[in-house]
Amino acid sequence: MEQFVIGFWGCFFGTTGLMLAGSVVAFIHSLRRIALNAALSAVASAFFVTAFLGELPIADPNTLARFLAFVACLVSTLLAYLLFSILGILQPPKTRRQVITALAALAAAVIVAGWFVRPLQALGLSTAVACLLGVVALASSIRSALRGDRLAWVAVSGVSFMLVALAGLGWIALDRAHVPWQVHAVSALAATAYLATMASVLWIRYSYLIELHEVMAQGPNYDPVTRMRSDVETGYMVGAAFKHYRDKPAPLGVIVISIANLYVLKNLYSLAALNHALFVCAGRLRRTVPAHIEMGRLADDGFLLLVRNCEDSGHLIELAHAVQARLSKPVILHTRPEAGSLAPKQTRWTADVGVGVLRVSGDDARATTTVAMGRGTSRTAWAYPSRVAWYDEKSGEIVGVPVLAS
C-alpha cells in the first residue's frame, strides 16, 4: 500500500510544481500579483504537507510535534489571509488592518499557549485552530457567493477540500504509526483538488490584469476582440518602423493575413459569430508568432505582422506557412451572444486565409504603399493552392509560394 500512498502524494507535489511554474510565467509577463499569491499558496501548502508527513530532518518526536504546531498555526493564518485577499474582503484599508491584526494576534496566542501544554496537545490545539480558520474562510466564501460573486462558489469548493486535507493530515501527524492508507489517499486527493481549485480562482480573479497590461501598453486604440493593436494603432506601428528604417536601413519583413469569409459569416449568422471567429484567429496567431515579431489588426478582416532586421526571407516564408496552417484549422463557433448558455447554437467554420509576404529593402519604400501591397498580395493568395503569395520587390510581380515538403 505504500506505493499507492507515494503515488497519491506525488500527484499533489506535481500539482504544486505546475502551480509554481505558472507563477513564474505570470511573473515574466509582469503579473506580479498573480505570481506572488500563486507562489505563496503553493510553497506554503507544500511545506505544510511535507512537515505533517514527517519528512523533516527532526528525530525527536516532541520537538517535531512542537514544530508542527508552529507550522499549522502560521501556514493556516497565511492561507486564510490569501483567501480573504482573493475574495476582495481586504480591499478597504481599515478592514485589511483589522484582519491582519486579528490573524497575527490569534497566531501569537496559539503559539504562546502551546508552550504551556505537552507537545502533542500543542499540535492538537494548532490543528484545531487551523480547522477553525478554514471554517471561517468557508463561511466568508459562502457569504460572498450569496452576495452574487459567482467565483466565490469555486472558492467554497476549494476551502471544503482544504478542510478535508487538513483533517487527514492532522490525523496522520497525531497517529502516524496506525493511520490507514486510505486516509493518505483521501488527504492527498483533497489537497491536490484544493491547489487546483485555488489556482483557477487566482487566475480568473486576476486575469483582468492581462487586459489592463495590454491597454496600458497600447493606449486607447487597443482592440478588445482580438487583444491586439487596433487598425489605427497598427498604422502607427508601421509608421514608426518605417521611420526607423529610413534612419537605419535594414530589411523589413511584412506579412499580411486576410480572411475571405468573415463577411459571409456575419451575414449568415451574426456579429457575435464574427467576433468569436476573430477572437479565435487572433489567439491562434499569438500562439504561433514569435515574441519578437510585432503584430496588429488590419482593417476588419486581417492582421499584419512586422519583422525588423529581416535578413532571411526563408524564415519569413516559413512563418507565413505556419500562420496559414494554424489559422486554417476548423473551429466550432457560437452563433449567438449568449455563448455561455446550456445549449448554445454552434456552427463549424474554417477560415479562408490568404497570406501575403514581402520584404522591404528599397530606398523609396513608403509605409502606406507597403501595407496596401501587402493586402493586395494576401488577397491574391486566395487564388493559389498554398494560400501564400510572395511579392517580388524588384520585378513587381506576385507569385504563389508552394508548400515545401518537410
Side-chain angles (χ1 to χ4, degrees):
M1 295 304 176
E2 184 178 353
Q3 293 179 346
F4 288 103
V5 171
I6 294 174
F8 283 119
W9 285 115
C11 180
F12 166 78
F13 286 108
T15 305
T16 303
L18 289 175
M19 195 168 177
L20 284 174
S23 66
V24 171
V25 173
F27 186 85
I28 292 174
H29 288 81
S30 301
L31 303 175
R32 293 180 175 83
R33 190 176 179 183
I34 299 174
L36 178 61
N37 285 345
L40 283 176
S41 298
V43 171
S45 300
F47 183 72
F48 186 95
V49 170
T50 302
F52 270 67
L53 290 177
E55 299 299 325
L56 297 179
I58 301 177
D60 183 57
N62 291 332
T63 304
L64 179 61
R66 289 204 179 276
F67 182 75
L68 291 182
F70 298 151
V71 171
C73 185
L74 295 177
V75 171
S76 60
T77 301
L78 174 62
L79 293 179
Y81 174 81
L82 290 177
L83 180 65
F84 294 151
S85 177
I86 294 171
L87 293 175
I89 298 174
L90 304 182
Q91 287 184 355
K94 182 179 179 181
T95 302
R96 185 186 301 110
R97 288 194 299 269
Q98 292 175 345
V99 170
I100 292 175
T101 302
L103 290 175
L106 177 63
V110 173
I111 291 174
V112 171
W115 287 105
F116 293 95
V117 295
R118 292 192 295 273
L120 285 180
Q121 292 176 334
L123 176 57
L125 175 63
S126 295
T127 304
V129 171
C131 290
L132 177 62
L133 283 174
V135 171
V136 173
L138 181 63
S140 300
S141 301
I142 294 175
R143 182 185 179 189
S144 297
L146 293 176
R147 288 183 171 182
D149 188 352
R150 290 177 293 179
L151 187 60
W153 287 115
V154 184
V156 169
S157 61
V159 176
S160 301
F161 288 129
M162 182 192 72
L163 287 172
V164 174
L166 188 58
L169 287 168
W171 187 354
I172 293 170
L174 292 171
D175 191 16
R176 200 179 307 278
H178 304 95
V179 65
W181 70 271
Q182 291 88 346
V183 175
H184 280 277
V186 172
S187 301
L189 290 176
T192 303
Y194 162 72
L195 271 187
T197 305
M198 297 314 295
S200 65
V201 171
L202 276 169
W203 177 254
I204 296 171
R205 176 65 75 183
Y206 298 132
S207 60
Y208 76 93
L209 292 176
I210 301 174
E211 199 84 13
L212 178 62
H213 178 74
E214 294 294 332
V215 169
M216 292 176 66
Q218 299 179 20
N221 289 320
Y222 172 67
D223 177 32
V225 176
T226 59
R227 295 185 176 182
M228 291 183 178
R229 294 175 173 90
S230 68
D231 185 31
V232 175
E233 189 69 13
T234 300
Y236 295 151
M237 175 190 77
V238 175
F242 271 82
K243 182 178 183 301
H244 184 267
Y245 171 77
R246 287 191 293 271
D247 295 338
K248 297 180 179 180
L252 286 175
V254 178
I255 297 177
V256 176
I257 301 104
S258 295
I259 304 174
N261 53 347
L262 282 177
Y263 293 112
V264 175
L265 181 67
K266 178 182 177 182
N267 293 332
L268 287 178
Y269 296 100
S270 64
L271 180 61
L274 170 65
N275 289 335
H276 191 181
L278 281 170
F279 179 82
V280 172
C281 290
R284 289 177 174 180
L285 190 61
R286 284 195 301 271
R287 291 187 292 271
T288 305
V289 174
H292 69 277
I293 296 178
E294 299 176 86
M295 70 179 78
R297 188 172 177 179
L298 187 63
D300 294 329
D301 61 347
F303 305 93
L304 184 142
L305 310 181
L306 187 63
V307 185
R308 304 199 186 202
N309 300 321
C310 181
E311 300 292 344
D312 187 359
S313 58
H315 288 304
L316 199 64
I317 294 175
E318 289 177 4
L319 177 60
H321 279 301
V323 166
Q324 193 280 330
R326 187 65 180 269
L327 267 62
S328 297
K329 291 182 178 180
V331 61
I332 301 298
L333 296 179
H334 296 296
T335 58
R336 65 183 186 187
E338 48 275 359
S341 60
L342 293 178
K345 294 181 179 178
Q346 297 177 334
T347 185
R348 185 180 179 87
W349 178 78
T350 302
D352 188 2
V353 179
V355 182
V357 188
L358 61 152
R359 195 166 73 107
V360 179
S361 58
D363 297 333
D364 57 344
R366 295 292 180 266
T368 54
T369 306
T370 300
V371 172
M373 183 55 65
R375 278 182 62 80
T377 305
S378 67
R379 291 170 179 267
T380 305
W382 291 335
Y384 295 115
S386 67
R387 293 295 197 275
V388 178
W390 168 268
Y391 173 72
D392 189 341
E393 189 180 24
K394 294 182 179 179
S395 65
E397 296 181 352
I398 299 175
V399 295
V401 180
V403 178
L404 301 179
S406 59

